[in-house]
């Protein structure tokens, strides 16, 4: 741990490196041999796996500002889970998502569910040359009950369908 840094009730496993001017807040878990570079911010509800690299100035957020305002507290915040052996380039912004083990996130990226869906579509259609649609990738990334609109230009819109607890029990 290089000073100055701010660590608040977080859990650091063995051989974790924390660079200067890093802030890690309450409840964060950092796995073995992970490196957090200078000027990064890791907020509550973030769990980072083993042997990850977090570049300089990477910012994690747990509030999606849904409805155009602050979440108002932890009950409205969302989790971020980073797998093992993940590399995140400098100045990336990570919104609440799950990033699977072995992923590489480029410098300056803004990682949202849209980003992950688009990356999985690119991987399957362009790199693997699979002749497939996009709905499976979108639904897998977003999870839950959603109305998905896929436009002719390849863009898509995802809107959650609000269901009562009773209705969810009937469906499931």
């Amino acid at each position: 741990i290089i000073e100055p840094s701010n660590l608040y009730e977080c859990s650091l496993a063995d051989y974790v490196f924390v660079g200067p001017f890093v802030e890690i807040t309450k409840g964060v878990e950092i796995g073995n041999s992970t490196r957090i570079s200078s000027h990064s911010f890791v907020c509550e509800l973030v769990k980072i796996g083993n042997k990850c690299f977090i570049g300089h100035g990477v910012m994690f957020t747990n509030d999606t500002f849904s409805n155009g305002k602050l979440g108002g507290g932890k009950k409205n915040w969302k989790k971020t889970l980073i797998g093992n052996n993940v590399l995140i380039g400098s100045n990336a912004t990570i919104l609440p998502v799950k990033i699977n083990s072995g992923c590489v996130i480029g410098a300056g990226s803004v990682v949202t569910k849209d980003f992950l869906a688009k990356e999985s579509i690119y991987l399957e259609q362009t790199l693997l040359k699979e002749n497939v649609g996009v709905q499976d990738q979108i639904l897998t990334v977003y999870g839950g009950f959603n109305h998905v609109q896929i436009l002719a230009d390849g863009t898509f819109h995802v809107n959650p369908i609000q269901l009562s607890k009773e209705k969810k029990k009937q469906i499931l």
Side-chain angles (χ1 to χ4, degrees):
I1 299 171
I2 308 297
E3 296 292 334
S5 57
N6 296 317
L7 307 176
Y8 304 101
E9 301 176 43
C10 55
S11 173
L12 306 180
D14 294 332
Y15 309 109
V16 169
F17 173 86
V18 176
F21 305 104
V22 168
E23 184 168 331
I24 303 175
T25 63
K26 179 176 141 186
V28 170
E29 296 177 37
I30 310 285
N32 292 319
S33 302
T34 287
R35 182 177 183 90
I36 312 287
S37 300
S38 69
H39 299 89
S40 293
F41 175 73
V42 187
C43 60
E44 282 188 68
L45 301 178
V46 173
K47 182 176 180 180
I48 300 174
N50 300 321
K51 297 182 180 178
C52 293
F53 174 79
I54 309 301
H56 300 278
V58 172
M59 301 293 149
F60 290 83
T61 183
N62 51 24
D63 192 340
T64 59
F65 306 108
S66 56
N67 301 321
K69 51 187 167 186
L70 291 173
K74 191 172 181 175
K75 67 178 169 71
N76 295 319
W77 296 343
K78 300 191 184 320
K79 294 180 183 179
T80 294
L81 302 173
I82 309 296
N84 299 320
N85 302 302
V86 171
L87 307 174
I88 301 178
S90 295
N91 296 315
T93 300
I94 313 297
L95 279 75
V97 293
K98 178 181 179 190
I99 297 176
N100 291 322
S101 294
C103 284
V104 176
I105 306 297
S109 295
V110 177
V111 180
T112 64
K113 288 183 179 180
D114 282 356
F115 175 89
L116 296 175
K118 289 174 186 174
E119 285 299 302
S120 64
I121 293 165
Y122 172 79
L123 172 73
E124 196 165 18
Q125 292 182 346
T126 304
L127 297 182
L128 298 177
K129 308 234 184 286
E130 297 287 335
N131 186 18
V132 296
V134 299
Q135 65 278 1
D136 290 343
Q137 296 86 343
I138 296 167
L139 293 171
T140 299
V141 167
Y142 280 86
F145 296 98
N146 299 294
H147 175 259
V148 178
Q149 183 181 18
I150 302 169
L151 305 177
D153 65 1
T155 60
F156 56 88
H157 303 288
V158 179
N159 295 303
I161 298 171
Q162 301 300 323
L163 297 174
S164 67
K165 289 181 182 180
E166 294 79 27
K167 193 59 147 177
K168 284 181 184 177
K169 283 182 181 178
Q170 288 177 349
I171 293 171
L172 299 173

